[in-house]
Amino acid sequence: RPPRRRRRPRSIRRRTTGAMVKRAYRLQEFNAHQSAVNCLKIGRKSSGVMVTGGDDKKVNLWSIGKSSPILSLAGHQSAVECVTFDNAEEVVVAGAAGGTLKLWDLEEAKVVRTLTGHRSNVISVDFHPFGEFFASGSLDCNTKIWDIRRKGCIHTYKGHDRGVSVAKFSPDGKWVLSGGQDGRVKLWDLTAGRLLRELPAHDGPVTSVEFHPNELLVATGSADRTVKFWDLETFDLVDTCVEATGVRSTLFTPEGDALLTGTSEFLKVWRWEPARCCDAVDVSWTKLADLSTHEGKLLGASCSNSFVGVWVVDLAKCEPFHSGKEFGPGGGGTRDAPDRVGANENRPPPTSSGRAEEAVAAAQLAAKARVAASEERAREAEA
């Protein structure tokens, strides 16, 4: 008989296995459409459903965690390029490459409105926080406000030199912000039906606009690798955060005490006045498309070809929401190494800014290691 392997004492086993702490993980990845996925949106009310649109001209509804659609809605005559839920998650509006918009009743699983007016691809949509309205942005450089009851457009806002990549209503429903591929951000007064202010925001396309939940503050993210905070009373630039790569998505925490930003590799937690990165988590969601928070967890959804991936980040294990001392340098990303017991007993505890800097450095090293490993696999395949 072969000799029995000696088991380590239970106390050592417990300490070693318990030291592996992950702050982020991929919940699922699944084939969402028959061809490329162009857009997706997580329902903000429940964070339990998601809608996707693709080149196959379909709108698919999913329960997060499941890989089979609840509904698959066909009816568009061209590729679906933007989707969003209403606040009750009962209706979805989808914009298509042909310039049409369709409203889908999810309970009835049918189209209740087909709206036309844009002269080119509709690439952004947003529902009014209350009332039967929604906004759309298009490659025709226009932002339109639609009245569902009147079955038509009630305002058309012009002024961008390139497509309107983001349209977003303010929480009180009085304003709508349009962010363009020209890097400009325009604030429109819905009551007066006119331009209130233009913000000379970015040197690259605007990819994200996020209103603060409680204050007159808005954050704009761009492919130019910056996030900017704007005071909506004075319209002054409050602060600027600089990322290593283009910003794909932004989201204020429900309390409004921090801004979460997603790039192709990282989730970062920012505060402002002064601007500072509190933490960075290596997530590697690549083509991130949307963020949502629910019960202390962050959900991030990404799309690549016909696949959709859903990621989860435990915000309770991130600065400034947690001290993070037990997670060590890097705070525990998606590929953490076990902590060596007793290795850091004599080190003084790092400051919050020190932990954030270590987290960023550790995440960047992990990204470089992945690139090196990928190149090595490519060389071996060629050989």
Side-chain angles (χ1 to χ4, degrees), residues 287-326:
K287 294 183 179 179
L288 177 68
D290 193 28
L291 295 172
S292 180
T293 56
H294 182 66
E295 295 181 349
K297 300 291 194 298
L298 176 85
L299 290 177
S302 63
C303 52
S304 179
N305 300 319
S306 63
F307 287 85
V308 166
V310 179
W311 300 75
V312 179
V313 180
D314 189 347
L315 295 178
K317 297 174 182 176
C318 299
E319 290 284 355
F321 316 111
H322 194 282
S323 65
K325 291 180 182 179
E326 66 267 40

Side-chain angles (χ1 to χ4, degrees), residues 49-350:
V49 291
M50 177 171 58
V51 61
T52 61
D55 274 352
D56 60 4
K57 307 175 187 177
K58 291 183 179 179
V59 174
N60 290 342
L61 180 68
W62 308 86
S63 176
I64 292 177
K66 307 291 185 181
S67 57
S68 298
I70 302 170
L71 292 172
S72 186
L73 306 169
H76 284 278
Q77 302 302 309
S78 56
V80 179
E81 300 207 342
C82 57
V83 287
T84 196
F85 289 97
D86 71 335
N87 290 333
E89 297 176 359
E90 297 173 349
V91 176
V92 162
V93 61
T100 61
L101 293 132
K102 289 184 182 291
L103 272 84
W104 298 88
D105 184 312
L106 299 181
E107 185 175 351
E108 299 291 332
K110 67 179 184 180
V111 175
V112 293
R113 294 281 188 276
T114 297
L115 303 168
T116 60
H118 282 295
R119 301 187 307 276
S120 188
N121 309 49
V122 183
I123 57 174
S124 58
V125 283
D126 188 46
F127 260 102
H128 194 274
F130 40 87
E132 300 289 321
F133 305 97
F134 70 90
S136 62
S138 168
L139 287 180
D140 65 9
C141 307
N142 295 335
T143 305
K144 289 181 178 287
I145 309 299
W146 305 84
D147 188 324
I148 299 172
R149 295 165 298 183
R150 295 184 187 178
K151 306 179 185 180
C153 175
I154 56 174
H155 289 298
T156 298
Y157 300 132
K158 303 181 179 181
H160 286 281
D161 297 327
R162 297 180 64 191
V164 179
S165 49
V166 185
K168 188 83 171 182
F169 286 105
S170 60
D172 62 7
K174 295 180 179 179
W175 299 335
V176 65
L177 261 179
S178 61
Q181 294 177 345
D182 54 7
R184 295 152 75 186
V185 175
K186 294 177 180 287
L187 183 65
W188 306 91
D189 187 316
L190 293 175
T191 304
R194 63 179 179 84
L195 179 67
L196 185 61
R197 183 63 64 102
E198 178 177 333
L199 306 175
H202 295 280
D203 296 326
V206 178
T207 55
S208 180
V209 168
E210 190 71 16
F211 284 93
H212 193 280
N214 308 314
E215 301 175 14
L216 286 173
L217 183 76
V218 68
T220 60
S222 170
D224 68 2
R225 303 183 300 172
T226 65
V227 176
K228 296 188 177 183
F229 296 88
W230 303 88
D231 186 320
L232 293 179
E233 287 186 293
T234 63
F235 303 108
D236 291 333
L237 178 64
V238 174
D239 243 325
T240 300
C241 305
V242 180
E243 294 275 11
T245 57
V247 178
R248 299 192 63 89
S249 189
T250 59
L251 181 68
F252 280 105
T253 56
E255 297 78 15
D257 54 350
L259 181 74
L260 309 171
T261 64
T263 63
S264 60
E265 294 286 340
F266 305 127
L267 170 75
K268 290 187 181 178
V269 185
W270 296 90
R271 282 189 165 171
W272 54 97
E273 292 188 290
R276 59 198 184 279
C277 178
C278 300
D279 211 340
V281 182
D282 179 5
V283 188
S284 304
W285 36 34
T286 312
K287 294 183 179 179
L288 177 68
D290 193 28
L291 295 172
S292 180
T293 56
H294 182 66
E295 295 181 349
K297 300 291 194 298
L298 176 85
L299 290 177
S302 63
C303 52
S304 179
N305 300 319
S306 63
F307 287 85
V308 166
V310 179
W311 300 75
V312 179
V313 180
D314 189 347
L315 295 178
K317 297 174 182 176
C318 299
E319 290 284 355
F321 316 111
H322 194 282
S323 65
K325 291 180 182 179
E326 66 267 40
F327 305 117
T334 54
R335 299 166 184 81
D336 301 330
D339 189 19
R340 287 187 291 273
V341 178
N344 299 317
E345 287 180 353
N346 298 321
R347 289 180 57 186

